[in-house]
Amino acid sequence: MEALPKALEVDETSPESRDLLPSQTASSLCISSRSESVWTTPPRSNWEIYRKPIVIMSVGGALLLLGVAITCVAYIMKMDISRFTALKMIGPAFLSLGLMMLVCGLVWVPIIKKKQKQRQKSMFFQSLKSFFLNR
């Protein structure tokens, strides 16, 4: 075999040699931990499961009520035109943002329930499979 010229040889401390060495990447680290995490995690409480939708619904409800209050104040009280136009724009904006967040939270809850049922079925079939394969 021919010897490489001195200029083409790669020194072990050079950046090119570091690219050639095997390294622990994130994907290779996740492969080993992935199989354990799915089946060995303890069951989560209802608060941990539904925390995010509850927060989204609470914030959405608060923004909805704030929007209703600002809109009512804008149309009931007598005030100058500049304040009236500002409140007339801000009130419905808060109202629509609050309604959107409230609906997102309400839709999120059935999605989480469906995922929980699928996870339970998956765990059941996994245990059934392991039961028949280990006989």
Side-chain angles (χ1 to χ4, degrees):
M1 202 164 155
E2 289 182 28
L4 289 173
K6 190 80 168 167
L8 293 178
E9 288 182 7
V10 179
D11 186 23
E12 288 187 17
T13 59
S14 68
E16 292 86 10
S17 68
R18 287 189 207 124
D19 292 340
L20 298 174
L21 294 174
S23 64
Q24 290 281 26
T25 60
S27 62
S28 65
L29 291 175
C30 289
I31 291 170
S32 63
S33 65
R34 188 173 186 193
S35 61
E36 300 169 8
S37 65
V38 176
W39 306 112
T40 60
T41 56
R44 299 183 331 183
S45 68
N46 281 340
W47 173 248
E48 290 174 347
I49 294 170
Y50 295 109
R51 174 177 44 97
K52 290 178 184 177
I54 289 172
V55 169
I56 293 292
M57 285 189 289
S58 301
V59 170
L63 284 176
L64 181 72
L65 291 176
L66 181 68
V68 168
I70 290 174
T71 304
C72 288
V73 165
Y75 285 103
I76 290 176
M77 298 184 78
K78 304 268 183 188
M79 57 186 74
D80 59 347
I81 298 295
S82 64
R83 284 188 184 170
F84 177 72
T85 55
L87 288 179
K88 194 170 135 183
M89 289 189 307
I90 291 174
F94 277 120
L95 198 135
S96 63
L97 283 173
L99 185 62
M100 182 180 65
M101 289 181 74
L102 184 66
V103 168
C104 285
L106 287 172
V107 168
W108 200 350
V109 171
I111 292 172
I112 290 176
K113 284 184 180 180
K114 188 175 180 181
K115 274 185 160 182
Q116 291 297 321
K117 284 183 182 179
Q118 286 177 348
R119 185 172 289 140
Q120 287 173 352
K121 286 180 186 177
S122 169
M123 290 175 68
F124 172 72
F125 287 128
Q126 182 70 21
S127 64
L128 200 71
K129 185 174 114 178
S130 66
F131 173 74
F132 285 116
L133 290 178
N134 291 335
R135 286 186 134 194

